[in-house]
């Protein structure tokens, strides 16, 4: 059930409060204003206007100019209106009157009215209650009612509806035009709703439905929402020069129809509504027998009225009626048209008439204008023979023209036939001098009647006669084959023209003349198509006495091609060629010929496409390997399949789903491409190449060729041989340079070892030899021969050229001032593992040094750098011992005799006698005498050697060229090893170069 805005309980509470307020006010008035001159209003009367929902309240007396007026809904005692009002007063009768407009229809519920007089703050008592009975009164008719009934409202207004139910019925909902609305309860049986901003209703109106819960029946009302009238264009005119006809437009639709709600029209107070009630009629008229000159139109309906006026003289408002009874007399090229007028008064009226002629074939409209007094006929020229036409006429006043009258009815006629127009003929020749004479078919308008045949003559200009009888062709044939070789034979190589005529029932047309001559082809530059066609430009030719001919056709048509042409007048220098036969992707040849009385001449030729497309066929592509490259070759695309000017080729290498552009070949004449360096290395590979031809429209789909690349090793082998050759050449250059500079190299890297010299003052007594042993060297005594001589001490005498180089060697400080003694220990590189060094190495040192003769090669001489003493083994053993640090070694060995200067021992040296260590026979034994001396490259190297520096040389084995001098510090081991290898190589090299 719909929600109600007020329940009965709340209504009763509100009404009780209002009655209490009245009692208080009445009590106060009775005591405060008991003695004033105000009286209680009498004879209160209520006069309702049910349609306008206005309540007119009147009363007598009161003795005041203002009154308090209260209006209540009787059943719920609910205040609807309570204000102080100033009513109008009838001075004669003293009757006060005031009108109240109700929002709700007055029929919805009963209303109670009370009035009291007021003078400032002084009031009288309330009048007796006067009640206006509503349709919800218990004594009223018991049936469902909805108000207001058939009300007319303007668009945008608001309206309140009420529904009165029978006793015992329950409201379900209220619906306006299908939409449910909110409900307010006014009494036990009455419910109301308000609809805002109404829109224009249909012709049948808008419905408000009241739906009880039982829904057995529909109850409701209809309202009509529309606009007030708004007519337009009110004008009056005359047709017969006496009467007047006034016309106007109805304007916007009021949405109100019917005799009661529709618009009524009045012209000069004459009702013109009856003839203008048609709903679909947009124009309205009203006729008067005489011309009045001034007219007023009033349009009114229930929502308002609108008026228009018009003023004019009769001669300024003449509008002739439509001509009647049209008749036509036609010839081949013209016709005569006549008609009648309805009014005789037009005989003296200056008229202007418009004639419209329509050709039935193409519906082309021709307009002609004629004028004259009392005009009744006209002459129509420039018509076409054998043509169907329809014609109509309308007229207006020539002076003070007001407007055109109505059109007459259509009248049809047909012109007579005539001889055809001259055919438009041309000639097309093949390369073998055969061809055909062609002409354009005549249209129906050019034929001037039905064609019966075409005739073609071959005419000799020199002899002025026909070379052969005329050839007759049916009207649907527009060409005749010719052979210029045969024609030249029969005409003795004279000038020959072809004459073409067309024939119908009226006769033959004038002949068309075509010179049968061949022309030499010209080069054809490219031309670009535009929106207007192919733009052609040329210079004016003085020989073109009868104009020019532009011919075009398919450039790739081989034989008997369909040709089109257009003829231009002399003096023309440009034209745009457009044709419905132009197709995209087709190349056209366009030729310009001059026309003269002697012969035709080819002046210029062009080539172009209406629209370029991509080539329609793919290339024929092949790929092959050539050494390390890939050769791509393809065949030329046929001209007919290019569909555009070929600009070149794009060459791609496809890798997976991607194309890599290798080259853009911009020369369309190129038919091959070499992809460089695709066969590198020893790996076999497969490659895909795609070649796409392109025009201005883009690329075609292209052709893909796959080639398997075999490993190409020739270049790799050649590169290896080249590298080896370069290395060999470099070594040869280095060798040659070393050979040429061998003396410098030998002196720099491998100087001569000086022979050992025994000084004359060599001590005879044996003594200790202060030797600093190599930390890692091994001594192998292979034999102990008898000493040949005994020397007390060996002293190294450096060569003169080594004085400077050896200055850095003796920088190491010594503890005593004793002379530097030579360190000699027989070194042998033993293949046995190196034995660990013992702290006490006296025995091994003496045993090692006791050898009288060893097969060792000495490459240098070391001077003593410390006070280490090695004891010689007196027993002489052939065993190999590993020398130990801090051991004593004998300075005398029978196997080696260094040629050194003997040096007197210092007094400070505490050395035993040499004789205690060496045997007499070992002193004079012979041995190896090295002639070279080895020294460090620089004093820096000697300093880096630590405890081994300064060193003048190191012995090497007779079986090896490796130096036996041990490395110095551990961090310089690699450097010394490289030096030993270099020295060994230089030794062998220099040994081979010795003379």
């Amino acid at each position: 059930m719909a929600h109600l805005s007020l329940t009965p309980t709340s209504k009763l509470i509100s009404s009780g409060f209002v009655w209490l307020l009245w009692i208080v006010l009445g009590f106060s008035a009775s005591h405060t204003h008991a003695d004033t001159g105000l009286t209680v209003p009498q004879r209160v009367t209520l006069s309702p206007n049910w349609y306008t929902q206005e309540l007119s309240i009147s009363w007598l007396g009161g003795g005041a100019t203002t009154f308090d007026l209260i209006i209540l809904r009787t059943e719920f005692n609910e205040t609807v209106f309570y204000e102080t009002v100033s009513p109008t007063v009838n001075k004669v009768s003293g009757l006060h009157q005031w009108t109240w407009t109700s929002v709700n229809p007055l029929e919805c519920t009963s209303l109670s009215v009370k009035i009291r007089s007021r003078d400032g703050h002084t009031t009288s008592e309330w009048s007796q209650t006067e009640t206006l009975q509503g349709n919800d009164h218990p004594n009223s008719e018991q049936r469902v009612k909805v108000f207001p009934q058939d009300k007319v409202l303007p668009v945008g207004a608001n309206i309140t509806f009420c529904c009165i139910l029978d006793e015992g019925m329950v409201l379900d909902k209220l619906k306006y035009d299908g939409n449910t609305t909110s409900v307010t309860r006014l009494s036990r049986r009455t419910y109301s709703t308000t609809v805002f901003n109404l829109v224009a209703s249909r012709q049948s109106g808008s419905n408000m439905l009241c739906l009880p819960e039982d829904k057995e029946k529909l109850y409701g009302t209809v309202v009509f929402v529309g606009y007030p009238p708004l007519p337009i264009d009110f004008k009056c005119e005359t047709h017969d020069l006496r009467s007047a006809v006034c016309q106007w437009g109805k304007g916007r639709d009021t949405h109100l129809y019917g005799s009661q709600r529709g618009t009524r029209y009045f012209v000069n107070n004459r009702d013109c509504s009856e003839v203008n009630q048609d709903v679909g009629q947009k124009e309205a008229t009203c006729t008067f027998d005489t011309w009045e000159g001034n007219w007023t139109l009033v349009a009114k309906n229930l929502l308002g009225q609108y008026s228009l006026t018009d003023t004019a003289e009769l001669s300024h408002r003449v509008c002739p009626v439509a001509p009647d009874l049209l008749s036509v007399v036609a010839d081949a090229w013209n016709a005569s048209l006549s008609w009648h007028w309805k009014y005789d008064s037009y005989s003296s009226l200056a008229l202007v008439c418009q004639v419209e002629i329509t050709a039935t074939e193409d519906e082309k409209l021709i307009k002609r204008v004629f004028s004259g007094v009392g005009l009744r006929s006209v002459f129509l020229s420039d018509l076409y023979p054998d043509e169907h036409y329809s014609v109509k006429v309308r007229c207006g006043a020539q002076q003070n023209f007001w407007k055109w009258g109505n059109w007459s009815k259509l009248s049809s006629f047909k012109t007579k036939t005539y001889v055809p127009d001259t055919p438009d003929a041309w000639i097309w020749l093949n390369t073998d001098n055969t061809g055909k004479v062609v002409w354009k078919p005549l249209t129906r308008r050019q034929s001037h009647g039905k064609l019966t045949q075409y005739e073609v003559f071959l005419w000799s200009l020199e002899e002025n006669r026909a070379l052969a009888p005329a050839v007759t062709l049916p009207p649907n044939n527009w060409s005749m084959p010719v052979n210029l070789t045969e024609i030249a034979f029969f005409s003795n190589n004279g000038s020959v023209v072809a004459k073409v005529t067309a024939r119908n029932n009226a006769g033959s047309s004038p002949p068309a003349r075509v010179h049968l001559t061949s022309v030499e082809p010209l080069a054809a530059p490219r031309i670009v198509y535009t929106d207007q066609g192919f733009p052609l430009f040329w210079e004016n030719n003085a020989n073109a006495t009868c104009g020019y001919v532009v011919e075009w056709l398919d450039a790739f048509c081989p034989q008997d091609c369909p040709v089109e042409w257009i003829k231009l007048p002399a003096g023309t220098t440009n034209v745009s060629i457009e044709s419905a036969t132009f197709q995209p992707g087709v190349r056209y040849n366009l030729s310009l010929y001059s026309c003269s009385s002697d012969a035709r001449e080819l002046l210029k030729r062009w080539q172009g496409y209406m629209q370029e497309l991509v080539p329609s066929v793919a290339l024929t592509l092949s790929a092959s390997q050539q050494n390390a490259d890939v050769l791509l070759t393809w065949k030329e695309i046929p001209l007919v399949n290019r569909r555009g000017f070929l600009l070149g080729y794009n060459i791609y290498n496809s890798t997976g789903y991607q194309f890599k552009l290798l080259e853009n070949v911009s020369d369309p004449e190129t038919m091959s491409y070499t992809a460089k360096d695709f066969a590198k290395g020893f790996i076999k590979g497969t490659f895909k190449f795609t070649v796409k031809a392109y025009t201005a429209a883009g690329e075609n789909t292209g052709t893909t060729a796959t080639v398997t690349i075999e490993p190409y090793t020739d270049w790799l082998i050649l590169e290896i041989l080249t590298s080896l050759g370069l290395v060999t050449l470099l070594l040869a250059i280095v060798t040659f340079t070393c050979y040429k500079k061998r003396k410098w190299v030998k002196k720099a890297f491998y100087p001569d070892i000086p022979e050992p010299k025994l000084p004359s003052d060599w001590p005879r007594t044996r003594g200790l030899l202060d030797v600093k042993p190599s930390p890692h060297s091994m001594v192998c005594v292979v034999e102990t021969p008898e000493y040949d001589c005994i020397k007390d001490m060996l002293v190294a005498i450096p060569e003169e050229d080594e004085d400077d180089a050896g200055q850095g060697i003796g920088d190491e400080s010594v503890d005593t001032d004793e002379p530097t003694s030579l360190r000699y220990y027989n070194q042998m590189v033993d293949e046995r593992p190196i034995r660990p060094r013992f702290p006490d190495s006296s025995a091994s040192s003496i045993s090692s040094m006791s050898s009288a003769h060893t097969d060792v090669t000495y490459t240098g001489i070391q001077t003593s750098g410390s006070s280490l003493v090695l004891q010689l083994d007196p027993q002489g053993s052939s065993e190999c011992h590993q020398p130990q640090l801090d051991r004593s070694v004998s300075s005398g060995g029978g196997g080696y005799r260094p040629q050194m200067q003997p040096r007197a021992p210092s007094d400070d040296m505490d050395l035993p006698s040499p004789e205690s260590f060496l045997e007499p026979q070992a002193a004079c034994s012979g041995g190896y005498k090295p002639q070279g001396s080895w020294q460090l490259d620089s004093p820096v190297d000697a300093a880096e050697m630590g405890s081994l520096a300064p060193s003048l040389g190191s012995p090497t084995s007779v079986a090896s060229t490796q130096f036996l001098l041990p490395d110095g510090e551990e961090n310089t081991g690699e450097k010394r090893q490289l030096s030993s290898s270099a020295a060994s190589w230089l030794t062998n090299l220099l040994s081979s170069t010795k003379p």
Side-chain angles (χ1 to χ4, degrees), residues 469-498:
V471 178
T472 302
L473 299 171
N476 58 352
N477 194 338
W478 308 297
S479 66
M480 187 190 79
V482 293
N483 190 320
L484 293 189
T485 304
E486 295 179 357
I487 293 174
F489 175 78
F490 288 108
S491 63
N492 296 324
N493 294 322
S495 298
V496 177
V497 297

Side-chain angles (χ1 to χ4, degrees), residues 104-126:
N104 296 305
L106 299 177
E107 299 93 338
C108 294
T109 186
S110 299
L111 298 174
S112 299
V113 179
K114 285 188 177 182
I115 306 171
R116 68 180 179 184
S117 304
R118 172 176 290 276
D119 184 10
H121 294 288
T122 305
T123 60
S124 68
E125 294 183 357
W126 289 99

Side-chain angles (χ1 to χ4, degrees), residues 29 104 111 128 153 161 226 283 312 359-360 365 375 412 577 643 712 747-748 784-785:
N104 296 305
L111 298 174
Q128 293 182 355
L153 296 170
F161 297 94
E283 300 288 334
T360 307
L365 182 64
L375 190 63
S412 299
I577 302 301
R643 304 200 301 176
Y712 181 70
K747 181 178 180 180
T784 309

Side-chain angles (χ1 to χ4, degrees), residues 843-856:
S844 62
S845 299
I846 296 171
S847 175
S848 300
M849 297 300 294
S850 63
S851 175
H853 185 272
T854 58
D855 291 338
V856 280

Side-chain angles (χ1 to χ4, degrees), residues 536-549 567-575 592-595 603:
L536 307 181
F537 299 90
W538 63 90
E539 295 181 358
N540 189 28
N541 191 294
N543 295 329
T545 57
C546 58
Y548 301 92
V549 177
K567 293 184 177 180
L568 304 172
T572 305
T573 57
N574 63 85
V575 69
L592 175 67
Y593 294 89
S594 64
C595 174
L603 300 179

Side-chain angles (χ1 to χ4, degrees), residues 537-718:
F537 299 90
W538 63 90
E539 295 181 358
N540 189 28
N541 191 294
N543 295 329
T545 57
C546 58
Y548 301 92
V549 177
V550 178
E551 166 197 275
W552 63 91
L553 72 159
D554 187 347
F556 305 124
C557 176
Q559 194 80 9
D560 295 334
C561 304
V563 62
E564 294 184 72
W565 67 94
I566 184 175
K567 293 184 177 180
L568 304 172
T572 305
T573 57
N574 63 85
V575 69
S576 292
I577 302 301
E578 178 62 273
S579 174
T581 60
F582 284 155
Q583 298 295 325
V586 177
R587 184 184 297 186
Y588 292 95
N589 283 338
L590 296 95
S591 304
L592 175 67
Y593 294 89
S594 64
C595 174
S596 64
S597 59
D598 297 332
R600 63 174 187 159
E601 179 185 358
L602 178 61
L603 300 179
K604 204 167 184 180
R605 178 166 286 177
W606 300 269
Q607 279 189 344
Y609 290 87
M610 172 192 174
Q611 179 184 353
E612 292 193 51
L613 303 177
V614 299
S616 60
V617 296
L619 297 166
T620 302
L621 179 65
S622 62
S624 61
Q625 179 181 356
Q626 288 191 351
N627 297 332
D629 305 330
V630 177
L631 177 62
L632 303 176
T633 58
W634 56 88
K635 295 183 180 179
E636 184 179 13
I637 299 177
L639 293 175
V640 69
N641 299 123
R642 293 186 179 183
R643 304 200 301 176
F645 293 112
L646 197 61
L647 301 180
Y649 307 92
N650 286 330
I651 302 172
Y652 299 90
N653 173 224
S654 58
T655 56
Y657 296 98
Q658 295 181 350
F659 282 92
K660 178 183 178 182
L661 180 63
L662 295 180
E663 187 68 27
N664 169 248
V665 179
S666 58
D667 183 9
E669 303 300 326
T670 302
M671 297 298 154
S672 64
Y673 172 75
T674 301
K676 300 291 186 180
D677 299 333
F678 268 83
K680 290 185 175 181
F682 296 93
I683 301 176
K684 182 177 181 180
T686 300
F687 297 90
K688 292 183 179 180
F689 297 90
T690 301
V691 179
K692 297 182 178 182
Y694 65 92
T695 63
E699 299 176 335
N700 66 347
T701 56
T703 303
T704 300
T706 302
V707 59
T708 301
I709 304 298
E710 298 295 334
Y712 181 70
T713 58
D714 293 351
W715 280 106
L716 183 60
I717 295 174
L718 182 60

